[in-house]
Amino acid sequence: MDIKLTSKMILEKEFKKNFKGYNVEEVDSFLDEIIQDYETFEKAVAQLREENRQLKEEIDSTPKRQPVASAAAGTTNFDILKRLSNLEKHVFGSKLYE
């Protein structure tokens, strides 16, 4: 991001005066509004940069999560269903399948 002006640069900018030039008070008033906006932008950018820095630190300090491998545990959905079926047969006996 390449910012060419700061609120201070705008405030200190002087224009050459000409007989048929712009109304000095009108230009000053408009520049005052621009300066206020720049100051607001500068504060917002500084806050966002600080928040960004903190979030990056938080990410770096958070341990990486390892994916849970259900196959490594030796259990699959089919195995679970088979065990449930055997338990039902044992608990309810043949009544379940009549």
Side-chain angles (χ1 to χ4, degrees), residues 70 74-87:
S70 62
T75 308
T76 62
N77 287 345
F78 180 76
D79 293 333
I80 292 171
L81 291 173
K82 188 175 177 182
R83 289 179 186 175
L84 283 173
S85 176
N86 287 337
L87 283 172

Side-chain angles (χ1 to χ4, degrees), residues 1 10 34 37-38 40 57 59-60 62-63 66 83 88:
M1 184 162 57
I10 295 169
I34 293 172
D37 280 351
Y38 260 76
T40 302
E57 282 181 6
I59 288 172
D60 290 340
T62 304
Q66 297 296 324
R83 289 179 186 175
E88 288 172 345

